[in-house]
Amino acid sequence: MALEETSLLREIADRNAGEKAANDTDLKVGYQGEPGAYGEVAAAAHGGIPQGFASFEKLLEALRDGLIDEAVLPLENAVVGAITEALDPLAEFVAAGGELVAVALTSVPVRLSLATRPGTRLSDVKRAWSHPAALRQCTHRLAQMGIERVVCYDTAGAAQIVAQEATTDAAVCSRRAAERYGLEVLVDDVSDKEQNGTRFAHLRMADHARAQVSLAFLRTSSMTATSKLDVLTGATLLPLAGNAEFPVRMWVLGADAARLQALAPARDVQVISLGQPAAHAARMVTPPKQGTEPVVKSLPHATARKAPTIVEVGKLRIGGGARAVIAGPCSVESAEQVMRIAKEVAACGATALRGGIFKPRTNPYAFQGHGLEALDWLVAAGKEVGLPVVTEVMAIDQVAPVAAKADVLQIGARNMQNFDLLRAVGRAGRPVLLKRGAGATVDEWLGAAEYVMAAGELRVILCERGIRTFETSTRNTLDIGGMLAARPLTHLPLIADPSHAAGRADLVEGLARAAWAAGADGLIVEVHDDPARALSDAEQALVPARFQELARALALNPDARLPLAQLRAWVDAIDRDLAVLVQRRLEVAKVIGASKRQTGRAVLDPRREAAVRRTYKEALQGSSMVADKLVDLLLEAAKAQQSIDD
Ligand code: PEP
Ligand code: MN
């Protein structure tokens, strides 16, 4: 049973694990009650250091005053529903302007033991002490035993009281608490219901500078819905005691701000919500949660729940937040051709050089690639510009000679299910770029990755390159949805190939930007400096100038090989973006000023200023003076604008 008490169900695991390790060491987490209370279990659930407080009010004050980093509050119990003892003070706190966010939910299994001083017989127990919420959970069982209920402030506190008095009274508390105060457990669980459990919210003060996670959905039996509230499907409503002004009050967990706004006019209903996530927290792509079984059991390597795999070869670093752009010709046509193009793409900030030496062509009479001779041209070009090279292998006997010199082995779309080839590249000791087959499902794509990984190569980059649909205006249909659908299934980097998807140069930039905005870990793009004469995929090649525009749009960094005029165009583009952002910031700051005036709040808030400063310092690591000056300037501009409008 003690084991069950600590086997906690983590319901929201969205906290970034890396960030957690860095920031949450020595995280002080407060709870209401004495050591041994269920709140202590919840407080310790994610590695925090529990700290007990006598009341929920004191707990929330400590959070507000920064004495603790996080507070856990019980919201709901499986037997009695809403824990009003906690929800009411929480509502008071929020109503008084306390801005909270929920960062996690923890479900603690509850076994309410009936415990006495050693030697006490069950028949002698006439009274049982506990927290009112706990006593409500065993109303019937205690009544059956003829035991009267006595309210005190905490379950573990009840154990302490019983232990200190010469009494035959019992405590209703956890086994942990009973053992802690030297009591003997007479009845393991006096709850009226098996499978009892309490959900705790982990709350922090809102820090507007950071990404925050709102409370997610949580099902409840205590649904009190009006027709308006019915729109909140998936949200949890926890009732609060009504007051004269608002006869119906409730907590809404998991609703978004817009939907709450829509509800506000509903008369007689006060809706209180915990803080909302900052807009930038809505990451479109999230890798699988860590630590448990693979997402697809039969694909243990490809779908293991682990930290994002980062593939790193020279300048190419991809996955886990690192993004890469691989660029170069479809085919390596000559030593000079690949050298020229390598210089162009490297100067624009590409992180790897591509080029085919064995070409899978639909027509057997079309150019088939210059073979191994061209590998030397490719490698020489890569070496000259300092980029690793990526090239395709089509047959098992090509694997060893190519792996001897190339940095990354590509498996083309047509070979995605050439299982012997997958096994062979898996044994070659080089990272593998695995294209998705034009007719392959996401599962089949992951299955192909599993072949490579099972053979020994764990550095696999998955590449979405368009699938075949009824559409004929593009060569393939770039399946961004499929790429995103793969994201929660695998820890492997996911990239997109807009060139083979489009089949037309005019669409490449748009598709590239779409995939990038959707969170792709990288792109592979075909570039040719004389497309009209290209030996393969002429229609889809970007000329270097167009690739340069794309590179600017993707915020790659150019190098000093570019002519000065082009470097200036690069920095001009950044200045335009920056100026537009500054303008937007001023406009939104103005709206905030108006909102504060409407709600009678002070326009200046030193805590907010500190948060803004932190945002800039984090983003501008290493130039904290620049960060400070920028913030000074922005705040000054915002204030000036506000006073002009006054
Ligand atoms: C290539 O990258 O040149 C290529 C042939 O791609 P795919 O296998 O995606 O058609
Ligand atoms: Mn091609």
Side-chain angles (χ1 to χ4, degrees):
M1 221 169 286
L3 188 81
E4 261 178 282
E5 277 171 13
T6 49
S7 78
L8 302 166
L9 173 62
R10 177 99 193 251
E11 304 213 35
I12 300 180
D14 263 356
R15 274 199 256 176
N16 179 303
E19 185 191 66
K20 183 174 184 300
N23 299 342
D24 290 3
T25 37
D26 304 332
L27 188 80
K28 288 196 219 94
V29 185
Y31 64 96
Q32 187 269 331
E34 295 286 332
Y38 289 105
E40 188 193 25
V41 179
H46 310 307
I49 301 167
Q51 209 166 305
F53 290 86
S55 67
F56 290 112
E57 287 82 357
K58 291 234 155 55
L59 172 62
L60 288 166
E61 277 165 26
L63 183 64
R64 183 197 59 207
D65 298 342
L67 302 177
I68 50 174
D69 305 297
E70 191 172 297
V72 288
L73 272 88
L75 301 180
E76 195 192 29
N77 171 266
V79 179
V80 300
I83 312 281
T84 49
E85 289 83 354
L87 293 171
D88 278 328
L90 191 53
E92 291 308 312
F93 186 80
V94 171
E99 292 186 63
L100 295 171
V101 289
V103 293
L105 285 180
T106 294
S107 188
V108 178
V110 169
R111 299 289 173 276
L112 292 172
S113 306
L114 190 72
T116 57
R117 290 159 61 85
T120 309
R121 284 180 316 190
L122 186 55
S123 54
D124 293 336
V125 178
K126 294 286 171 272
R127 306 197 309 166
W129 296 73
S130 197
H131 189 275
L135 289 171
R136 283 208 304 280
Q137 294 163 44
C138 27
T139 310
H140 297 293
R141 292 285 303 280
L142 291 177
Q144 275 167 3
M145 292 190 274
I147 297 174
E148 189 194 334
R149 298 178 297 159
V150 188
V151 168
C152 68
Y153 75 105
D154 173 41
T155 53
Q160 206 177 8
I161 291 168
V162 169
Q164 281 165 1
E165 314 263 316
T167 174
T168 59
D169 286 356
V172 172
C173 61
S174 71
R175 177 177 281 271
R176 258 164 63 103
E179 283 166 0
R180 188 177 179 108
Y181 297 104
L183 301 186
E184 192 171 53
V185 172
L186 294 185
V187 182
D188 252 350
D189 190 4
V190 286
S191 307
D192 290 334
K193 197 166 159 187
E194 277 178 51
Q195 312 260 309
N196 192 1
T198 297
R199 290 172 204 256
F200 289 81
H202 294 245
L203 303 174
R204 295 191 188 182
M205 293 307 292
D207 174 348
H208 298 278
R210 284 183 175 280
Q212 285 157 342
V213 184
S214 70
L215 268 185
F217 60 89
L218 163 112
R219 272 182 215 104
T220 176
S221 48
S222 54
M223 183 84 168
T224 314
T226 69
S227 58
K228 281 235 171 194
L229 290 170
D230 281 344
V231 301
L232 287 171
T233 42
T236 291
L237 307 178
L238 296 174
L240 288 165
N243 58 26
E245 197 185 348
F246 296 106
V248 181
R249 297 165 78 219
M250 59 189 63
W251 278 98
V252 179
L253 309 181
D256 57 66
R259 290 195 301 166
L260 282 175
Q261 287 296 318
L263 288 172
R267 278 206 357 263
D268 304 338
V269 178
Q270 185 185 24
V271 181
I272 302 166
S273 114
L274 291 177
Q276 297 300 324
H280 56 276
R283 263 170 299 148
M284 271 172 282
V285 284
T286 40
K289 292 176 190 169
Q290 294 182 36
T292 48
E293 289 187 334
V295 184
V296 181
K297 276 194 191 149
S298 58
L299 303 176
H301 293 98
T303 75
R305 289 190 202 258
K306 61 188 281 286
T309 288
I310 300 169
V311 176
E312 191 163 11
V313 212
K315 270 198 183 166
L316 175 70
R317 187 175 146 82
I318 185 163
R323 307 180 92 180
V325 174
I326 304 165
C330 177
S331 297
V332 177
E333 298 170 7
S334 69
E336 297 72 30
Q337 174 247 20
V338 70
M339 184 66 80
R340 283 193 317 269
I341 297 172
K343 286 180 177 163
E344 297 278 8
V345 300
C348 296
T351 39
L353 177 66
R354 65 150 286 149
I357 58 170
F358 300 108
K359 294 307 302 177
R361 304 305 299 277
T362 305
N363 186 317
Y365 308 112
F367 174 64
Q368 301 286 307
H370 285 305
L372 288 177
E373 192 187 3
L375 179 58
D376 290 331
W377 306 337
L378 176 67
V379 170
K383 201 165 179 178
E384 171 69 23
V385 297
L387 294 184
V389 302
V390 182
T391 198
E392 176 171 354
V393 287
M394 288 170 50
I396 294 173
D397 62 3
Q398 295 164 359
V399 173
V402 174
K405 295 176 180 169
D407 299 288
V408 177
L409 304 180
Q410 176 173 322
I411 294 293
R414 292 156 193 81
N415 277 313
M416 191 203 83
Q417 286 190 318
N418 183 339
F419 300 118
D420 290 335
L421 181 62
L422 294 175
R423 274 190 278 257
V425 292
R427 289 190 297 264
R430 296 286 189 185
V432 174
L433 191 160
L434 177 64
K435 296 270 192 109
R436 176 184 177 186
T441 64
V442 168
D443 284 358
E444 288 162 345
W445 188 21
L446 295 174
E450 188 72 22
Y451 266 92
V452 177
M453 299 175 88
E457 185 51 66
L458 301 179
R459 297 166 299 172
V460 177
I461 300 165
L462 294 168
C463 178
E464 158 58 34
R465 45 78 74 199
I467 54 175
R468 180 163 283 192
T469 68
F470 57 83
E471 184 56 71
T472 52
S473 56
T474 46
R475 185 176 176 185
N476 292 284
T477 298
L478 184 66
D479 185 16
I480 293 182
M483 182 184 82
L484 291 178
R487 182 65 297 165
L489 302 177
T490 184
H491 52 90
L492 295 171
L494 280 157
I495 72 171
D497 176 345
S499 305
H500 290 88
R504 315 170 21 179
D506 61 331
L507 305 184
V508 169
E509 181 178 343
L511 289 180
R513 292 170 67 124
W516 197 256
D521 294 305
L523 298 173
I524 180 166
V525 182
E526 287 188 347
V527 177
H528 202 292
D529 59 355
D530 189 3
R533 269 186 271 267
L535 295 179
S536 60
D537 288 350
E539 308 76 22
Q540 70 198 34
L542 289 187
V543 293
R546 297 284 301 281
F547 178 70
Q548 194 181 130
E549 281 166 25
L550 175 62
R552 280 206 299 258
L554 303 179
L556 302 189
N557 286 335
D559 75 17
R561 270 172 292 206
L562 280 189
L564 184 60
Q566 287 176 27
L567 288 171
R568 284 194 172 137
W570 210 288
V571 89
D572 288 346
I574 295 172
D575 284 334
R576 267 193 303 276
D577 288 349
L578 206 55
V580 168
L581 280 175
V582 169
Q583 177 61 24
R584 266 188 64 206
R585 197 195 187 284
L586 292 176
E587 280 163 16
V588 174
K590 208 163 126 184
V591 175
I592 291 173
S595 154
K596 283 180 174 169
R597 272 190 289 272
Q598 271 170 21
T599 52
R601 298 220 216 169
V603 173
L604 295 182
D605 179 347
R607 272 201 335 216
R608 284 284 303 146
E609 284 199 23
V612 173
R613 215 167 277 282
R614 206 157 51 235
T615 301
Y616 279 81
K617 285 209 166 137
E618 276 176 14
L620 286 164
Q621 276 173 19
S623 11
S624 104
M625 192 197 57
V626 175
D628 271 330
K629 288 201 165 169
L630 263 176
V631 175
D632 290 344
L633 210 61
L634 288 171
L635 294 179
E636 197 182 308
K639 280 176 212 163
Q641 188 149 30
Q642 281 165 351
S643 60
I644 289 166
D645 294 340
D646 280 344

